Amino acid sequence: MKSFLDISDRKPWVQNEEGLLAFAFHPQFKTNGLFYIYYSQQAPKRSVLSEIRVSKDDPDKADLATERIILEIPQPYWNHNGGAVLFGPDGYLYLSLGDGGAAADPHNVGQSGHHLLAKILRLDVNSRTGNLPYGIPRDNPFVGKDSKGNPKADPFDTKPEGLRPEVWAYGLRNVWRMSFDRETGDLWAGDVGQDKWEEIDLIVKGGNYGWSVREGFHDFKNQKAQGKLLDPVIEYPHNTGLSAECQFPDHTPGICVIGGYVYRGKRIPTLRGVYVYADYGMGTIWGLRYENGQVTAHGELVRPNPLHPIASFAEDRDGEIYALIFDGKIYELVEARNVTKP
């Protein structure tokens, strides 16, 4: 097997949740050869979003000498780095950032407009805004606007309580994997919880998802929120003792949500339109059907198996879904008998 990219000499992994966390091809990769990675670095501790080009001599090998650093985000701790990078149907790059780690959002970045942590960013990698190595789309929700609502020449010219113009959505603890529904364009995200609740969110422009004022549907910290808080699509508890308090009391428990994809393949017709997600610790795979603004069905697709911790999902060009598991294998989601589907 040939290696396309190797950054092991940079030692991106030092502790637990650090490492090479995301990889995405530019929408015009076939013609420009560009791709993007998100990884950890030390001294100072930070996360790096970079653009790299494939080698001119070998289209199957990355040329690390072409690396262009787009963004470096200081990280106070080793955990909650976020780590989803993908391009939307609009051609812009979306990046999820966690709240920086430790526990209980110690620096209160979730509701802070002046930090990039605990946010989803939307960047234009094809342009530049001022001296920045990236562009800020003029229709981002928090770009500075004048009294008539028109974008200012300086997108950072916002009110003191405004949010950074790179921000697309905020109030998110640690989104680990998000995806666009290839048919509707909806952006789905799995936001990893703290000690009690895991949640799935539909990410919308300018949305505030509540962390750390609340976790899931539940109050968490007594602090001021910025504007209206948006509810999760679904939540599930860390143990059955919390089921009575859960908005979905029949949802089986888990400890760390893994965001997936809305199934748009053809091999499992009964699953079309179902959002597939999982739990890292339990190895469970669930599906939910979301119609007219509410969950109309949900249930287990693959029963719990803690020996198969699911780290991520992938989708091929035909809409089929694959699970990436820490046993070194990739599994395709296929139809089986005696498995309840939503």
Side-chain angles (χ1 to χ4, degrees):
M1 182 179 294
K2 189 175 182 179
S3 174
F4 175 75
L5 172 73
D6 186 352
I7 62 168
S8 57
D9 60 340
R10 303 183 187 190
K11 298 179 172 58
W13 182 86
V14 173
Q15 286 180 278
N16 205 320
E17 295 177 18
E18 296 176 331
L20 174 58
L21 302 179
F23 181 109
F25 290 106
H26 190 286
Q28 281 78 53
F29 173 78
K30 286 186 177 181
T31 56
N32 64 23
L34 296 175
F35 65 92
Y36 301 81
I37 61 173
Y38 176 73
Y39 63 100
S40 306
Q41 290 288 266
Q42 311 294 328
K45 191 178 290 293
R46 64 201 187 277
S47 294
V48 180
L49 175 69
S50 285
E51 175 187 272
I52 301 175
R53 192 182 302 271
V54 297
S55 170
K56 293 181 179 179
D57 301 323
D58 185 351
D60 295 324
K61 190 172 184 60
D63 181 0
L64 288 175
T66 67
E67 180 179 19
R68 181 175 74 89
I69 295 177
I70 295 175
L71 188 63
E72 292 187 283
I73 306 100
Q75 294 287 355
Y77 310 103
W78 54 263
N79 57 340
H80 303 183
N81 297 311
V85 175
L86 69 163
F87 283 88
D90 52 16
Y92 295 127
L93 183 146
Y94 291 74
L95 167 66
S96 73
L97 297 174
D99 68 6
D105 190 11
H107 303 291
N108 295 321
V109 297
Q111 295 297 310
S112 169
H114 303 288
H115 293 85
L116 294 181
L117 296 175
K119 314 293 191 295
I120 290 175
L121 310 185
R122 181 177 183 246
L123 310 175
D124 182 1
V125 297
N126 299 318
S127 71
R128 309 289 182 267
T129 296
N131 294 323
L132 295 172
Y134 54 86
I136 299 174
R138 291 173 65 84
D139 62 340
N140 271 11
F142 304 109
V143 166
K145 294 181 173 63
D146 61 24
S147 59
K148 296 181 180 179
N150 299 313
K152 296 179 180 179
D154 179 5
F156 285 90
D157 184 8
T158 61
K159 296 179 180 179
E161 66 272 24
L163 276 84
R164 292 261 308 246
E166 298 98 329
V167 173
W168 183 252
Y170 62 108
L172 294 150
R173 182 177 180 273
N174 191 32
V175 168
W176 180 252
R177 299 314 185 222
M178 57 186 182
S179 65
F180 285 95
D181 182 339
R182 61 171 60 196
E183 288 193 5
T184 68
D186 291 335
L187 178 55
W188 291 81
D191 194 15
V192 178
Q194 179 133 335
D195 298 323
K196 292 183 177 181
W197 310 104
E198 303 295 309
E199 67 182 76
I200 297 294
D201 297 300
L202 262 176
I203 304 299
V204 298
K205 180 179 181 179
N208 180 358
Y209 293 86
W211 180 253
S212 55
V213 173
R214 69 177 187 181
E215 181 185 19
F217 290 90
H218 310 271
D219 292 340
F220 185 83
K221 185 187 273 191
N222 185 18
Q223 63 170 311
K224 184 179 179 181
Q226 292 211 28
K228 180 182 177 182
L229 303 183
L230 300 181
D231 290 335
V233 170
I234 201 168
E235 68 174 6
Y236 64 87
H238 279 207
N239 57 71
T240 55
L242 293 168
S243 294
E245 303 173 39
C246 185
Q247 292 288 318
F248 298 83
D250 56 342
H251 197 298
T252 51
I255 60 173
C256 178
V257 68
I258 304 296
Y261 292 85
V262 175
Y263 181 76
R264 297 297 182 186
K266 296 180 179 179
R267 296 181 182 176
I268 315 175
T270 55
L271 206 61
R272 277 192 56 82
V274 168
Y275 178 71
V276 176
Y277 58 108
D279 190 85
Y280 169 78
M282 298 301 293
T284 314
I285 297 179
W286 296 282
L288 68 83
R289 196 174 290 281
Y290 190 73
E291 300 168 306
N292 301 317
Q294 63 181 353
V295 176
T296 56
H298 68 90
E300 290 184 357
L301 300 177
V302 177
R303 295 184 177 90
N305 184 350
L307 296 179
H308 282 174
I310 297 170
S312 189
F313 284 98
E315 180 188 45
D316 68 19
R317 67 180 64 188
D318 297 319
E320 302 301 331
I321 294 178
Y322 302 81
L324 283 61
I325 295 179
F326 274 129
D327 62 0
K329 298 177 182 178
I330 298 174
Y331 295 81
E332 183 180 359
L333 195 65
V334 297
E335 192 163 18
R337 294 180 180 179
N338 303 318
V339 176
T340 302
K341 303 180 183 66

